[in-house]
Structure formats: structure tokens, C-alpha cells
């Protein structure tokens, strides 16, 4: 059984997709052992509780400085003793110590086709605003392993989604979630849980 901890910041629709997929058997050999939010009042915590999953919040506001918060976040993750850390809309920079401890054992969903529309300042709705400002015709989502860089780790999977005439950032965000994110993230977890992928030379390859 792959023990996963899911880190969230907001609505938690990706968390819900993971919960639903585990329940439906789309993700196998996996147990969601905990949910951690950096925000005390988000819907995600409710989603976790409704599914009977232990959920805690670790908010930067409760700590004197970033280093202390980072250590508390890592402690909270370690408490659950996970095999895999899943960033499902977690909009906080991952502490370098966590990346060092969980090498190629942290994955992230990003709402664009990396390396487009990613990096510092590109998160949540802002990504879709920039896609529309640029007039891009195709966008999508990417699941990748997390390394020291921002959105720079080995890419696990990507799916393209068309931008349509009249899209608002909210409409585009929803389409990218429905057509790409909620499919890619559960599938990536299932692939890891069932040992179907490996990282070689900073690239993800399928196991034979
Ligand atoms: C998702 O679109 C996710 O891809 C994005 O935040 C949203 C969270 O939605 N993540 C990032 O931008 C990470 N850089 P959710 O809370 O409903 O899953």
C-alpha cells in the first residue's frame, strides 16, 4: 500500500478527485493517510473529514518566520510517514529540506503545459489569466515530480485542453480541471502505486 499525504490550499477539487478515485478503484494499492492545508478555513479540510481522512492545518500565520513554518510543515508531513506527498493545489513553496528528504516522492499538479505558463507567480487562476492575455489557443495541465526548482521537476504526464472563444479565466480553469487535472493526477498516483514509472536522467520513463 502506498501511503499518500495530500497538501492543499483551497477548494480541493483535485483532492476530491483523488478521494473519489480511491473509492471507485481507479487508484489502487493506495491509502490517503492524511491531508494538510496551509489554510485553516478551506473546503479541502471538510472534504477530508467527510471522507474520514485525518486533516490538519499548518498556517504560516501561526509561526514567527518562514523557516519555523517550513520545519512545522515538514514535521506535519513526517507525522503521517508517507511514501508519496501529493501537492493538489498547494500554493506554498515547498521547503528545500522537504525536497531533499522526499526526492522523487513529491508530485505536483500544475494547470498549464509546462514549460509554458509556469514558475514564480504562476499559480491557480493567475495561470489562466495569463494564458488568455497571451491569446494562447491551447493550454492544459501537467503532473510532475518536485525538485528544487519551481515547476521544473521530471514530467509525469500532460494533457492539452483547447482555449475557446469567450473564455473567462474561471471558465478556462474549470475546463482544464475537468478535461485534464482530475484525470491526470489520480492516474499518476495509480502509476506510482503500481510501480509503472521510474525517473531516469531527470525524465520519467515507463517500466517494462
Ligand atoms: C488547480 O487548478 C491546480 O492545478 C492549481 O491550483 C488549483 C487548485 O484547485 N495549482 C497550481 O497552480 C500550482 N502551481 P483545487 O484546490 O480545486 O484542487
Amino acid at each position: 500500500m502506498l501511503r499518500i499525504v495530500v497538501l492543499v490550499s483551497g477548494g480541493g477539487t483535485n483532492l476530491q478527485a483523488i478521494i473519489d478515485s480511491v473509492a471507485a478503484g481507479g487508484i489502487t494499492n493506495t491509502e490517503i493517510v492524511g491531508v494538510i492545508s496551509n489554510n485553516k478555513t478551506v473546503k479541502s479540510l471538510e472534504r477530508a473529514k467527510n471522507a474520514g481522512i485525518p486533516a490538519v492545518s499548518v498556517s504560516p500565520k501561526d509561526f514567527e518566520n518562514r523557516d519555523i513554518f517550513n520545519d512545522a510543515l515538514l514535521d506535519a508531513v513526517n507525522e503521517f510517514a508517507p511514501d508519496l506527498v501529493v501537492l493538489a493545489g498547494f500554493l506554498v513553496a515547498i521547503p528545500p529540506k522537504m525536497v531533499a528528504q522526499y526526492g522523487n516522492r513529491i508530485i505536483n499538479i500544475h494547470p498549464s503545459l509546462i514549460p509554458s505558463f509556469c514558475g514564480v507567480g504562476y499559480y491557480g487562476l493567475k495561470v489562466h489569466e495569463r494564458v488568455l492575455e497571451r491569446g494562447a489557443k491551447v493550454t492544459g495541465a501537467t503532473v510532475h515530480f518536485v525538485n528544487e526548482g519551481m515547476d521544473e521537476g521530471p514530467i509525469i504526464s500532460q494533457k492539452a485542453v483547447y482555449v475557446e472563444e469567450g473564455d473567462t479565466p474561471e471558465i478556462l480553469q474549470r475546463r482544464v480541471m475537468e478535461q485534464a487535472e482530475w484525470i491526470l493526477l489520480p492516474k499518476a498516483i495509480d502509476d506510482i502505486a503500481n510501480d509503472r514509472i521510474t525517473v531516469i536522467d531527470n525524465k520519467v520513463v515507463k517500466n517494462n
Side-chain angles (χ1 to χ4, degrees):
M1 274 289 197
L2 187 83
R3 294 171 60 85
I4 67 168
V5 162
V6 185
L7 272 53
V8 292
S9 294
T13 64
N14 279 287
L15 167 66
Q16 193 66 55
I18 297 167
I19 292 171
D20 293 348
S21 189
V22 169
I27 300 175
T28 58
N29 295 323
T30 299
E31 186 187 353
I32 309 170
V33 292
V35 169
I36 301 173
S37 169
N38 62 309
N39 199 323
K40 282 178 195 158
T41 54
V42 291
K43 176 120 175 76
S44 299
L45 293 172
E46 210 181 300
R47 292 181 193 274
K49 283 185 184 134
N50 288 342
I53 302 163
V56 295
S57 65
V58 184
S59 166
K61 290 179 194 145
D62 293 337
F63 299 91
E64 232 168 84
N65 62 47
R66 204 69 189 181
D67 285 344
I68 302 176
F69 163 72
N70 282 347
D71 287 345
L73 182 63
L74 182 53
D75 285 347
V77 168
N78 286 339
E79 281 278 307
F80 289 113
D83 301 308
L84 182 73
V85 179
V86 178
L87 311 182
F90 189 59
L91 307 182
V92 166
I94 294 302
K97 265 193 217 168
M98 194 186 300
V99 176
Q101 187 183 331
Y102 289 91
N104 286 342
R105 290 194 295 140
I106 308 175
I107 64 171
N108 178 47
I109 177 95
H110 183 77
S112 76
L113 293 174
I114 289 175
S116 288
F117 303 104
C118 64
V120 178
Y122 286 86
Y123 57 88
L125 207 56
K126 286 186 194 297
V127 175
H128 307 290
E129 286 168 2
R130 304 261 167 83
V131 166
L132 292 176
E133 274 163 24
R134 184 62 185 82
K137 306 301 181 208
V138 180
T139 182
T142 303
V143 181
H144 63 93
F145 285 106
V146 172
N147 65 10
E148 320 70 46
M150 182 72 100
D151 300 329
E152 288 175 3
I155 292 172
I156 298 170
S157 56
Q158 296 188 293
K159 189 164 187 289
V161 174
Y162 284 110
V163 177
E164 288 176 16
E165 198 92 349
D167 272 353
T168 62
E170 290 81 5
I171 291 171
L172 184 56
Q173 178 181 52
R174 183 76 189 181
R175 188 179 313 117
V176 169
M177 285 174 162
E178 284 176 356
Q179 294 186 7
E181 297 187 40
W182 301 341
I183 301 163
L184 290 183
L185 189 56
K187 170 85 170 72
I189 295 167
D190 188 54
D191 283 344
I192 293 167
N194 291 287
D195 204 18
R196 290 192 205 103
I197 57 171
T198 308
V199 179
I200 297 175
D201 291 338
N202 219 33
K203 292 190 184 67
V204 174
V205 293
K206 285 189 182 141
N207 296 335
N208 290 320

